[in-house]
Amino acid sequence: MRTKSIERIIQGQGWLKDMFDELPEQVQNCWEVRCFHPGETVCEQGGDMVYVYILIAGELAVERKLSDGKMFRLAMLLPGDVIGDIEISLGMPFINQVETTRESTLLAIDKQRFKKWVINSPAFLRRLNDQLANKLFQQGRKTLENSFYSMQQKLLAYFYEALRHADFQKKPVYELIATREEMARQLGVAVRSVNRIMKVLKDEKLFVVKKGRLLFNQQSQQWIEQRLNSSHHATF
C-alpha cells in the first residue's frame, strides 16, 4: 500500500495520479516526501546526482554560479516540474543549483529506480518530453529577450512567467515573493535598473506593493500579455 502522506499528495494532483497509476506498487512505495523551507538548497551545482525530484507544491529557483562567484538565476520551477531530468539523460552531475523560494514539497526517488520506471512508464515519458520541449522553448525565448528586449520588456516577461500558473478563479490575488536583488539576478542586470522600471510599472498600477511583496490580479496578467504582444510585433 502507498503511505498515507504520498496517497494524500497523489489524490490532490490529477496529473500525478495518472503517472503513479502505471507504477508497480513496490516502486510507488520507494518515493519519499521531502519538505524544504525558503532558501534551502535542493541540488548543488556540480553535485552528484543521487535523486530525481518532482515538485509538488511551492517554487524553486534554478541558478548558475559564474566564475566570479556571482549567481545568475536561469529559471523558476513550479509544481509539476521535474528536477534532474536532463542530468539523468546525460549521465552527469547537477548542472545548476536549485533552491527553494517558498515552502516547498517534493517527491524524491533514487536514480536507479527512476531509470527503471522511465523505461516502463509511457505516461512519465510523455510528461518528460513535454517538459524538455518547454525548457528548450523557454531557453530560446530567453536568448531572444536578452538580445532584443528592453529592460522593461524583460521585467514584464519575468512577471508573466511568474504568473503562468496563477489560478485567479480560486485566488484573485497572486503574491510574488521576490526581492529586487533576486529579480536583478534573474535578469542579469543591476538592481538600480530594476528599481527604476519597477517605479514606472507601479505608477501604472500594474501591481500593488504590500510589505515588500508584489500583488497581481488577473487584470495585471492580461495587461502584461498585451504589452508583450505589442512589443513583439513592434520589434519584428
Side-chain angles (χ1 to χ4, degrees):
M1 294 178 59
R2 296 169 177 158
T3 63
K4 289 183 179 180
S5 58
I6 291 180
E7 181 68 30
R8 285 196 298 270
I9 290 173
I10 293 171
Q11 294 305 319
Q13 308 287 344
W15 56 268
L16 190 61
K17 184 177 185 301
D18 292 338
M19 292 166 62
F20 267 66
D21 281 346
E22 293 188 1
L23 293 181
E25 185 174 310
Q26 65 269 27
V27 178
Q28 295 176 9
N29 292 330
C30 292
W31 286 88
E32 302 174 18
V33 180
R34 298 193 177 181
C35 299
F36 294 83
H37 298 300
E40 289 191 305
T41 299
V42 178
C43 307
E44 289 278 2
Q45 178 178 322
D48 291 337
M49 184 189 171
V50 180
Y51 293 96
V52 176
Y53 301 90
I54 300 177
L55 178 61
I56 303 302
E59 184 181 70
L60 305 176
V62 181
E63 300 182 326
R64 180 75 179 174
K65 187 174 184 179
L66 305 179
S67 57
D68 60 2
K70 294 182 180 179
M71 298 297 291
F72 181 71
R73 184 164 293 179
L74 301 171
M76 301 301 294
L77 301 182
L78 299 170
D81 285 334
V82 178
I83 301 97
D85 50 345
I86 294 177
E87 289 84 353
I88 200 168
S89 298
L90 298 176
M92 60 188 304
F94 281 112
I95 301 170
N96 302 305
Q97 180 167 301
V98 179
E99 290 188 350
T100 56
T101 59
R102 298 171 180 251
E103 294 285 341
S104 300
T105 302
L106 298 92
L107 290 182
I109 191 170
D110 70 83
K111 63 180 181 181
Q112 298 303 326
R113 289 192 176 94
F114 180 85
K115 287 180 180 179
K116 184 176 181 179
W117 174 38
V118 169
I119 294 173
N120 295 288
S121 176
F124 185 81
L125 280 175
R126 286 193 298 271
R127 188 169 187 85
L128 188 60
N129 286 335
D130 289 345
Q131 289 198 13
L132 287 172
N134 183 61
K135 287 178 180 179
L136 289 173
F137 171 76
Q138 296 298 335
Q139 186 59 46
R141 191 181 71 175
K142 193 173 185 68
T143 300
L144 179 69
E145 292 171 1
N146 289 336
S147 300
F148 299 103
Y149 274 19
S150 67
M151 180 60 230
Q152 185 177 103
Q153 290 170 326
K154 291 178 182 179
L155 192 56
L156 288 174
Y158 170 82
F159 291 149
Y160 186 76
E161 182 65 20
L163 297 173
R164 185 162 55 98
H165 289 292
D167 189 344
F168 291 109
Q169 299 302 317
K170 292 183 178 179
K171 193 174 181 180
V173 176
Y174 177 83
E175 183 180 286
L176 177 62
I177 304 174
T179 65
R180 305 294 173 91
E181 289 76 14
E182 289 172 337
M183 293 180 196
R185 190 164 61 186
Q186 166 80 0
L187 300 174
V189 299
V191 175
R192 63 178 179 275
S193 298
V194 172
N195 289 335
R196 176 171 51 83
I197 301 301
M198 289 279 285
K199 183 180 185 306
V200 173
L201 296 177
K202 181 184 176 183
D203 291 344
E204 294 181 1
K205 302 188 185 305
L206 174 64
F207 52 79
V208 174
V209 180
K210 185 177 180 180
K211 295 182 179 179
R213 298 181 178 184
L214 308 184
L215 305 182
F216 296 83
N217 56 25
Q218 191 167 22
Q219 186 176 357
S220 304
Q221 186 182 47
Q222 294 169 348
W223 188 92
I224 292 172
E225 186 171 7
Q226 291 171 1
R227 181 69 70 90
L228 289 175
N229 286 337
S230 63
S231 298
H232 177 80
H233 293 313
T235 303
F236 298 97

